[in-house]
Amino acid sequence: MPQLNPTPWLMMMLMAWLTINVMSTLINSNLMQNPTTPTKMNNHTKKSTAWTWPW
């Protein structure tokens, strides 16, 4: 039964798993190096006017 032989697909599975993990680690580390700084919010509140409905 050739489908039970792990030689052909085990190495491909390990290489794919390793590639995905390394790439996700690199992407996450690059994102965490340059975090966006929060901007200061404007404390002024805008005054709104009431909307009069025509009916």
Side-chain angles (χ1 to χ4, degrees):
M1 292 182 155
Q3 62 266 36
L4 296 179
N5 183 9
T7 305
W9 55 266
L10 183 64
M11 186 56 87
M12 291 297 290
M13 183 186 71
L14 290 175
M15 291 300 287
W17 180 82
L18 186 67
T19 303
I20 289 170
N21 283 330
V22 167
M23 294 302 286
S24 67
T25 303
L26 288 174
I27 290 171
N28 284 339
S29 66
N30 285 341
L31 288 175
M32 295 306 281
Q33 283 179 356
N34 300 323
T36 57
T37 57
T39 58
K40 186 176 180 181
M41 296 291 290
N42 192 358
N43 290 339
H44 300 288
T45 56
K46 294 182 180 180
K47 186 176 181 181
S48 61
T49 58
W51 188 357
T52 57
W53 293 87
W55 59 60

